[in-house]
Amino acid sequence: MQAMQRRAFLAAGSAALFTATAQSAWAAFPDKPIKLIVPWAAGGSTDAIARAMAQRMSQTIGSSVIVDNRPGAAGQIGTDAAAKAVPDGYTLAIVELPHAIAPAVTTRLPYDLLRDFTPVTMIGTSPLVFFAGMNDDSRDFKTFIRTAAARPMPPPIAHSGAGTVSHLAAELLASRTKIKFNMVPYRGSAPALTDVAAGTVAGHFATLASGSSLLGANRIRPLLVTSAQRVNIPGLKDVPGLAESGLKGLEIDQWWAMVAPATTPLEVIERLRREAIAALDHPSVKERMAVLGVQLKGSTTGELRAFMRAEAERWQKVAHNIGLQPQ
């Protein structure tokens, strides 16, 4: 009995020592710069969101948060680098809607969004906007659809590449309106919207951030937002939502979230989550996000994990329903 009590005492002492040591290490976090990986090139909306977050978190977390752009392979290079980073809290990444779509349209991904990452927090969402040119046929969405249906040849709709959210949104629009569109691939929303403004293509789904400069120059017109109702976002308040356009059920939100490599200590995750939530609540970040058309939505780790799983399942079904084959 005494031997058993002695072993139990020693085991309890070892556990307490391990816990104290771990807590001491976590208490020192962070003691070096934190890297925030953006799997896209600098200058886009995701990069702008990451930089707003990093700048504010650097002022409060006790160490620098440095944005690390790792573009290439439709986001796979940077995302894979984040997934394989040491899970110590010093590497974070921004993931978004395309990451949930990718498993449905890509045969071999080097990472698994749900398995290889620990969620930190949701950052925010933004509905897609259907932009068209400034001609009379695009005065409003119903006029656009009526004109498109009457054309003898399928009107061209731009998208950012096979399997992208703009492609799936266009396919869903064609399915719901029973209009055959000519889907024209581009290398991103910037060149696609430039051709929308020039009248080369009829329209394109993109975020407000992507279309803001051409919209501000009065060269493109927002006809539809992919939320059920109108949104209280500057520049979009007068744009109809899906319900009044007869397309309820086509809701698509671009979203952005912060994640860390799987098995990052939960105490570190929670510290990062608190800092990120505090950053989202700061006036400078709110102002920058408003300009980008992002509606801020922090979350718990569990809420974000459930959301990402639901998004992955949803886009698997969408890709299957429209007959999109993984490549």
Side-chain angles (χ1 to χ4, degrees):
M1 179 66 70
Q2 289 181 343
M4 291 178 60
Q5 290 176 336
R6 182 171 180 274
R7 284 196 297 270
F9 176 78
L10 290 174
S14 297
L17 178 61
F18 174 80
T19 301
T21 302
Q23 288 176 341
S24 176
W26 296 326
F29 177 86
D31 58 4
K32 62 181 181 180
I34 297 170
K35 182 166 53 181
L36 177 57
I37 292 179
V38 174
W40 316 105
S45 56
T46 303
D47 179 65
I49 289 167
R51 292 183 186 279
M53 294 288 294
Q55 181 178 9
R56 181 56 194 167
M57 288 177 68
S58 294
Q59 297 170 1
T60 60
I61 201 170
S63 185
S64 298
V65 179
I66 302 169
V67 173
D68 182 8
N69 296 94
R70 301 272 193 100
Q76 292 184 33
I77 291 176
T79 309
D80 187 44
K84 291 178 170 56
V86 178
D88 56 5
Y90 290 99
T91 299
L92 300 170
I94 300 291
V95 296
E96 53 189 296
L97 175 56
H99 288 89
I101 295 174
V105 298
T106 308
T107 53
R108 294 179 182 175
L109 285 173
Y111 63 87
D112 185 299
L113 179 64
L114 302 177
R115 181 194 64 210
D116 294 337
F117 292 100
T118 296
V120 177
T121 182
M122 178 72 86
I123 294 174
T125 64
S126 178
L128 293 185
V129 183
F130 185 72
F131 290 103
M134 299 299 294
N135 55 63
D136 288 343
D137 291 343
S138 301
R139 290 190 304 272
D140 55 63
F141 184 72
K142 291 183 178 179
T143 301
F144 175 88
I145 291 297
R146 186 166 56 249
T147 302
R151 287 187 180 184
M153 297 293 291
I157 296 291
H159 64 78
S160 299
T164 62
V165 63
S166 60
H167 180 209
L168 270 63
E171 292 284 3
L172 286 171
L173 177 65
S175 175
R176 290 294 304 276
T177 60
K178 308 301 182 185
I179 296 174
K180 184 176 177 59
F181 291 104
N182 177 22
M183 304 295 177
V184 183
Y186 281 77
R187 291 182 178 273
S189 284
L193 288 171
T194 297
D195 273 9
V196 170
T200 306
V201 290
H204 176 61
F205 282 97
T207 61
L208 175 62
S210 296
S212 59
S213 59
L214 288 171
L215 182 61
N218 202 36
R219 296 184 60 200
I220 56 175
R221 178 181 288 145
L223 300 186
L224 176 77
V225 292
T226 59
S227 55
Q229 308 297 331
R230 298 190 182 206
V231 293
N232 187 27
I233 295 176
L236 297 179
K237 293 180 180 179
D238 296 327
V239 181
L242 296 168
E244 61 186 290
S245 301
L247 294 170
K248 192 173 181 180
L250 198 66
E251 289 83 359
I252 304 172
D253 271 336
Q254 168 66 297
W255 53 265
W256 297 267
M258 183 180 290
V259 297
T263 73
T264 299
L266 294 181
E267 289 78 0
V268 173
I269 291 293
E270 182 56 25
R271 170 75 190 282
L272 291 166
R273 192 189 74 83
R274 290 198 307 268
E275 294 288 347
I277 294 293
L280 291 175
D281 197 44
H282 193 267
S284 65
V285 176
K286 286 183 175 180
E287 181 179 357
R288 181 62 177 137
M289 297 296 191
V291 170
L292 294 169
V294 178
Q295 298 170 302
L296 301 180
K297 295 183 180 180
S299 71
T300 66
T301 294
E303 288 169 343
L304 178 53
R305 180 179 287 108
F307 173 81
M308 292 194 301
R309 181 177 292 109
E311 282 287 273
E313 291 173 354
R314 178 196 180 190
W315 290 103
Q316 283 281 1
K317 293 177 182 177
V318 169
H320 174 76
N321 289 341
I322 65 177
L324 192 63
Q325 296 297 319
Q327 298 179 359

